[in-house]
Amino acid sequence: MQTPQLPVYRFVSLTAAVLLAAVTASAQGTRPPGQTLPQQVTTALGRGAVDEARRLVQASTGPAAQRELATALLDIFEGRFDQARTRLEPLASANPGGDAALELGLLELSRGRRDRGRKLLLPLSQNRTLNSTDDYFRLARAARAVREFQLANDAYQRIENVPRADVQAEYADLFLQFHQPADAVTNYRKALEA
């Protein structure tokens, strides 16, 4: 059976992770501790709160790179792909191993620019300097995008007990992609608990 295309799975996974994080945050009345501005914006977008996402970006006094990345995520959500690309390119050039490079690579793949997307994502999938959950999560997402599924699974296994909805939902999506619904359900439950 043919594997579904990456953009559909990426959208489903991102939507599920964001919705799970939003429900949890709303139920608690707070944002999860330590969320970056891009994560806060993604959570707001998952709830359909586009105005809140814009407000978060406009009110931010944090690093300019975080604001640009958050704005690019908002652009992607609203279908302004060229504007998102314009914002992400300098960030990805400045930090080829960072989240902006990952998002730009995923954007390029989703827009049919496979060679450009792979060029951005391959270095991320080859990174072995991993110090945090975000490093492993970035590696897992990049590896999955370039179809290095075993590597993606290995990276997810390193962070499988992290109580983050986005991590658990993406890992569940990988299981689902390979027709392992029981494992997917386990991770979706972890995402809900997170």
Side-chain angles (χ1 to χ4, degrees), residues 135-168:
D135 292 339
Y136 281 102
F137 190 40
R138 191 177 308 109
L139 169 62
R141 291 179 69 205
R144 184 174 176 211
V146 297
R147 307 182 66 74
E148 293 285 340
F149 301 114
Q150 185 59 52
L151 177 59
N153 186 57
D154 290 347
Y156 279 124
Q157 284 179 351
R158 294 291 191 143
I159 55 175
E160 68 183 334
N161 293 318
V162 173
R164 279 183 39 185
D166 55 350
V167 170
Q168 297 303 327

Side-chain angles (χ1 to χ4, degrees), residues 13 24 42 45 48 52 54 58 98 102 106 116 124 128 130 132-133 142 158 163 168 170 177 180 183 187-188 191 193:
S13 176
T24 301
T42 301
L45 293 173
E52 179 186 347
R54 279 194 197 99
Q58 292 168 353
L102 174 67
L106 295 172
R116 174 77 173 129
L124 291 168
R128 297 304 181 265
L130 308 166
S132 69
T133 297
R158 294 291 191 143
Q168 297 303 327
E170 288 258 2
Q177 182 177 356
Q180 296 174 311
D183 291 323
N187 284 84
Y188 285 131
E193 291 168 5

Side-chain angles (χ1 to χ4, degrees), residues 21-44:
V23 167
T24 301
S26 294
Q28 296 172 349
T30 61
R31 286 193 172 82
Q35 263 195 340
T36 64
L37 177 62
Q39 290 168 337
Q40 291 172 11
V41 167
T42 301
T43 299

Side-chain angles (χ1 to χ4, degrees), residues 47-63:
R47 290 192 322 262
V50 178
D51 290 337
E52 179 186 347
R54 279 194 197 99
R55 183 191 57 73
L56 286 166
V57 170
Q58 292 168 353
S60 173
T61 58

Side-chain angles (χ1 to χ4, degrees), residues 42-190:
T42 301
T43 299
L45 293 173
R47 290 192 322 262
V50 178
D51 290 337
E52 179 186 347
R54 279 194 197 99
R55 183 191 57 73
L56 286 166
V57 170
Q58 292 168 353
S60 173
T61 58
Q66 291 285 306
R67 284 193 313 271
E68 283 296 298
L69 176 55
T71 304
L73 293 172
L74 182 60
D75 288 340
I76 291 168
F77 183 82
E78 295 184 318
R80 293 188 306 265
F81 304 117
D82 291 337
Q83 291 91 329
R85 185 177 294 109
T86 300
R87 291 181 193 285
L88 291 170
E89 284 176 342
L91 298 173
S93 293
N95 184 4
D99 290 330
L102 174 67
E103 295 300 336
L104 181 58
L106 295 172
L107 173 64
E108 296 293 25
L109 285 181
S110 75
R111 305 306 300 158
R113 296 181 174 127
R114 299 199 61 75
D115 290 339
R116 174 77 173 129
R118 287 185 59 78
K119 184 177 178 183
L120 289 159
L121 294 167
L122 279 173
L124 291 168
S125 70
Q126 296 168 351
N127 178 31
R128 297 304 181 265
T129 306
L130 308 166
N131 300 311
S132 69
T133 297
D134 289 333
D135 292 339
Y136 281 102
F137 190 40
R138 191 177 308 109
L139 169 62
R141 291 179 69 205
R144 184 174 176 211
V146 297
R147 307 182 66 74
E148 293 285 340
F149 301 114
Q150 185 59 52
L151 177 59
N153 186 57
D154 290 347
Y156 279 124
Q157 284 179 351
R158 294 291 191 143
I159 55 175
E160 68 183 334
N161 293 318
V162 173
R164 279 183 39 185
D166 55 350
V167 170
Q168 297 303 327
E170 288 258 2
Y171 195 17
D173 287 346
L174 180 64
F175 282 128
L176 200 57
Q177 182 177 356
F178 286 93
H179 311 288
Q180 296 174 311
D183 291 323
V185 166
T186 298
N187 284 84
Y188 285 131
R189 282 189 181 130
K190 287 182 181 180

